[in-house]
């Protein structure tokens, strides 16, 4: 009874904040925008047993619209700081101007450790990696390329040519990263045979912001990725599903799910890693219960993950921002 009461209060607060956000004239960084999203994340961060599937249709609709508003706000925030950093002669020397840069450092280390645990190509690092939905400030690619995957070529895909132009400018003055960072303006659904060239593909959380869109993207990747290649995704769990889309196991047909990490601290997104299966697969999402038994691994976490030794993050708005570019 107490748990139900807590969930009711949570949903009421989320809906209240949604209505305030939806009435804003702009979602560009401002005092009002920042304060509302900080409040939203603070509410959704604590562990919750809430089951979004059991909520009323009007709440489901609020959640869907709220996720899109979060995505729009994140885009404005990235563009704002990408412009600021781009005004410096050497933008990469000033990444700490971005308020949540330290969070990207920690998240990228987490994802690198998970990737290393499961990448097995003669113990060598991936040669070619793609990030889908990289945006105007591709910090995940930048941090991974700078500190962890120093010989890997990064191909960044975004549908927005302006975002790619801004992102390219950030690395243009760096001799190493400008050589290893490639930017493609394309809808990933139009990219086919090129996907076979990547050892690892990262899919940003907001590429496919509802279940139908997400399924189409994942099925497309399953069709064209090379057998054995790894797919890294970001999902959400508990009340965090009001902030980001959920990637359930049954959506990953054509892939073997290797590990899922659901954070219990201030990190908003879950991290999912899967491997493209070698056999041809017939994709059928008609049975939504068929693969639930495979989801037993959802609490697994590579023991070598250095994140387990680090402290929890402190800034909730930064955490919401850091996990999706």
């Amino acid at each position: 009874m107490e748990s139900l009461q807590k969930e009711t209060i949570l949903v009421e607060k989320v809906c209240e904040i949604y209505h305030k956000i939806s009435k804003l004239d702009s979602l560009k960084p401002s005092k009002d925008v920042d304060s509302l999203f900080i409040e939203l994340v603070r509410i959704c961060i604590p562990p919750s047993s809430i089951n979004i599937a059991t909520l009323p249709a009007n709440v489901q609709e609020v959640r869907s619209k709220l996720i899109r508003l979060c995505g729009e706000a994140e885009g404005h925030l990235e563009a704002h700081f990408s412009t600021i950093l781009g005004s410096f002669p050497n933008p990469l020397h000033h990444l700490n101007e971005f308020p949540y840069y330290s969070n990207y450092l920690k998240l990228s280390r987490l994802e690198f450790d998970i990737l290393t645990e499961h990448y097995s190509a003669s113990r060598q690092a991936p040669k070619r990696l793609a990030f889908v939905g990289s945006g105007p400030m591709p910090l995940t690619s930048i941090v991974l390329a700078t500190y962890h995957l120093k010989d890997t070529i990064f191909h960044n895909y975004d549908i927005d040519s302006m975002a790619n132009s801004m992102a390219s400018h950030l690395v243009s003055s760096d001799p190493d990263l400008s050589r290893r960072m490639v930017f493609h303006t394309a809808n990933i659904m139009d990219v086919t045979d090129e996907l076979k060239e990547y050892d690892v593909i990262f899919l940003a959380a907001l590429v496919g912001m509802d279940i139908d869109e997400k399924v189409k993207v994942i099925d497309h990747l399953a069709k064209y990725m090379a057998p054995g290649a790894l797919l890294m995704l970001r999902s959400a769990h508990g009340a965090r599903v009001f902030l980001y889309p959920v990637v359930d196991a049954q959506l990953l047909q054509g892939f073997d799910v290797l590990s899922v990490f659901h954070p219990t601290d201030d990190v908003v997104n879950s991290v999912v890693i899967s491997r493209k299966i070698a056999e041809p697969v017939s994709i059928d999402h008609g049975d939504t219960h068929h693969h639930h038994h495979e989801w037993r691994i959802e609490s697994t976490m590579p023991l070598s993950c250095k994140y387990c030794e680090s402290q929890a993050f402190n800034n909730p708005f930064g955490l919401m921002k850091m996990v999706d570019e």
Side-chain angles (χ1 to χ4, degrees):
M1 194 63 163
E2 182 181 354
S3 175
L4 181 60
Q5 185 178 15
K6 287 182 178 179
E7 291 182 7
T8 301
I9 293 173
L10 168 68
V11 171
E12 288 177 351
K13 288 182 177 178
V14 168
C15 290
E16 180 182 346
I17 295 173
Y18 159 73
H19 288 298
K20 290 180 180 179
I21 292 175
S22 65
K23 292 178 181 177
L24 293 172
D25 293 332
S26 171
L27 292 180
K28 293 181 179 180
S30 68
K31 183 178 179 180
D32 289 342
V33 171
D34 293 355
S35 63
L36 283 172
F37 280 106
I38 288 172
E39 185 180 1
L40 177 64
V41 175
R42 286 192 188 279
I43 290 171
C44 294
I45 280 290
S48 171
S49 59
I50 192 168
N51 182 356
I52 194 70
T54 64
L55 295 176
N58 62 320
V59 177
Q60 301 274 11
E61 184 179 359
V62 164
R63 173 183 173 252
S64 178
K65 292 180 178 179
L66 187 56
I67 288 173
R68 293 184 181 276
L69 291 174
C70 288
E72 183 181 345
E74 290 186 12
H76 286 309
L77 187 69
E78 284 193 356
H80 175 74
F81 279 99
S82 185
T83 300
I84 292 174
L85 293 178
S87 67
F88 293 105
N90 297 290
L92 298 187
H93 294 177
H94 302 274
L95 290 178
N96 58 356
E97 294 284 334
F98 186 64
Y100 317 122
Y101 177 57
S102 63
N103 292 333
Y104 274 98
L105 293 175
K106 295 173 183 176
L107 177 71
S108 296
R109 182 56 195 250
L110 164 64
E111 294 189 315
F112 171 71
D113 286 337
I114 295 174
L115 176 62
T116 301
E117 185 75 15
H118 295 284
Y119 187 79
S120 56
S122 304
R123 297 187 177 275
Q124 296 178 357
K127 292 181 179 180
R128 293 166 61 90
L129 181 152
F131 194 102
V132 180
S134 48
M137 200 168 181
L139 279 179
T140 296
S141 291
I142 290 173
V143 171
L144 286 174
T146 301
Y147 297 106
H148 305 301
L149 299 172
K150 298 182 179 181
D151 296 315
T152 302
I153 304 296
F154 286 74
H155 288 256
N156 300 283
Y157 286 86
D158 201 280
I159 200 168
D160 186 343
S161 60
M162 181 60 69
N164 276 332
S165 177
M166 298 172 76
S168 179
H169 179 64
L170 291 181
V171 302
S172 61
S173 61
D174 186 279
D176 176 41
L177 291 196
S178 61
R179 178 181 59 85
R180 292 193 292 124
M181 288 275 185
V182 184
F183 295 90
H184 304 272
T185 299
N187 184 330
I188 199 62
M189 299 298 291
D190 297 328
V191 182
T192 55
D193 291 339
E194 298 97 314
L195 295 175
K196 293 182 174 64
E197 300 174 3
Y198 303 117
D199 304 309
V200 180
I201 294 182
F202 276 74
L203 183 64
L206 295 176
V207 175
M209 287 192 283
D210 63 37
I211 189 168
D212 292 333
E213 294 174 0
K214 187 75 72 176
V215 165
K216 288 178 182 178
V217 173
I218 292 173
D219 288 353
H220 181 75
L221 295 175
K223 182 177 180 180
Y224 289 104
M225 283 176 63
L230 296 180
L231 176 62
M232 297 281 290
L233 312 102
R234 288 149 182 180
S235 183
H237 187 67
R240 302 157 194 230
V241 300
F242 285 105
L243 307 173
Y244 288 106
V246 175
V247 179
D248 285 328
Q250 65 265 24
L251 300 185
L252 288 162
Q253 294 194 34
F255 296 91
D256 288 327
V257 178
L258 304 175
S259 177
V260 182
F261 175 49
H262 291 311
T264 56
D265 56 16
D266 290 342
V267 180
V268 176
N269 278 97
S270 303
V271 179
V272 183
I273 183 170
S274 61
R275 190 186 306 277
K276 168 70 182 295
I277 62 176
E279 304 83 14
V281 62
S282 176
I283 296 173
D284 178 14
H285 293 285
D287 182 359
T288 58
H289 302 287
H290 183 66
H291 291 280
H292 276 317
H293 67 281
E294 298 176 0
W295 208 230
R296 296 300 180 188
I297 64 172
E298 68 178 12
S299 61
T300 61
M301 184 64 201
L303 295 178
S304 63
C305 176
K306 302 302 185 297
Y307 173 81
C308 302
E309 303 166 7
S310 66
Q311 296 179 348
F313 306 137
N314 296 318
N315 188 310
F317 187 55
L319 290 164
M320 176 184 162
K321 178 63 204 67
M322 76 168 187
V323 289
D324 184 64
E325 295 172 341

